Amino acid sequence: MKNTFTKNKMQPKELIDQVSIFGDQKDFSNQVQLFTENALSETRVNGKVVMQLKGRKAMAKAFAEFLKEIDTVSHFNGQSLFTVEGDEATGICYCLITMISNDTSKKTKTTIRAVYNDYYVRHGHHWLIEKRIGNFLWQDKCEIHSAE
């Protein structure tokens, strides 16, 4: 029983890590395949909804637009907890997102602390995100200089 329990909890953890990896690679077409066809993605800043997307196509377009002026993005997933009940699960994941602009005249680094609240469904042997609410709790922005 323990192996099944651990395996079931690791699958959503691997899913959120893969979502972050595709995001870091700006591979939005593969990233959105980790969501259900009509998934809901909602982003909140200071408790206010700033973006609400429904479906893979809308998400891919919005993610690409949001990161178009970003050269490098890195998601560092930290603590996460999951509750698995059959073919459904919920999860919370703490994430630190670092973005470096692609502006050659004045590069900036933006750091965001985010907490994702997710609802997952299992399709066959794979978990997909059905609903993701991203709470962006704080943001820090600063100019960076090259090491030259």
Side-chain angles (χ1 to χ4, degrees):
M1 181 75 171
K2 185 177 179 184
N3 287 340
T4 302
F5 179 76
T6 302
K7 182 179 179 183
N8 285 340
K9 293 228 177 190
M10 283 305 297
Q11 290 171 346
K13 171 67 172 131
E14 290 170 2
L15 172 64
I16 63 167
D17 286 345
Q18 189 62 60
V19 167
S20 292
I21 289 167
F22 282 139
D24 291 349
Q25 296 169 345
K26 295 185 178 184
D27 185 351
F28 308 115
S29 60
N30 279 318
Q31 184 185 40
V32 298
Q33 296 305 310
L34 300 174
F35 291 79
T36 61
E37 184 68 36
N38 294 308
L40 175 69
S41 174
E42 183 174 285
T43 303
R44 300 176 182 173
V45 176
N46 297 323
K48 295 181 182 179
V49 176
V50 297
M51 183 168 44
Q52 193 171 56
L53 307 165
K54 186 157 178 73
R56 291 175 178 161
K57 187 175 180 180
M59 285 189 285
K61 182 178 178 183
F63 296 165
E65 180 66 23
F66 180 73
L67 293 176
K68 73 179 181 184
E69 296 180 8
I70 301 299
D71 186 47
T72 303
V73 60
S74 297
H75 292 77
F76 296 100
N77 293 329
Q79 308 92 304
S80 56
L81 293 172
F82 304 97
T83 301
V84 177
E85 294 182 17
D87 289 337
E88 298 179 355
T90 58
I92 184 169
C93 175
Y94 290 79
C95 184
L96 193 62
I97 306 162
T98 303
M99 299 179 293
I100 308 296
S101 70
N102 59 14
D103 185 344
T104 56
S105 64
K106 181 181 172 186
K107 287 208 180 277
T108 56
K109 175 178 79 170
T110 304
T111 306
I112 299 170
R113 178 175 183 253
V115 177
Y116 293 104
N117 292 279
D118 295 331
Y119 173 73
Y120 314 98
V121 293
R122 187 177 3 226
H123 285 265
H125 297 290
H126 302 287
W127 288 96
L128 297 173
I129 300 172
E130 176 72 25
K131 181 177 180 182
R132 169 164 267 203
I133 298 174
N135 293 290
F136 288 18
L137 303 176
W138 59 256
Q139 174 177 298
D140 180 47
K141 189 178 267 193
C142 64
E143 186 176 346
I144 59 172
H145 305 280
S146 66
E148 297 174 1

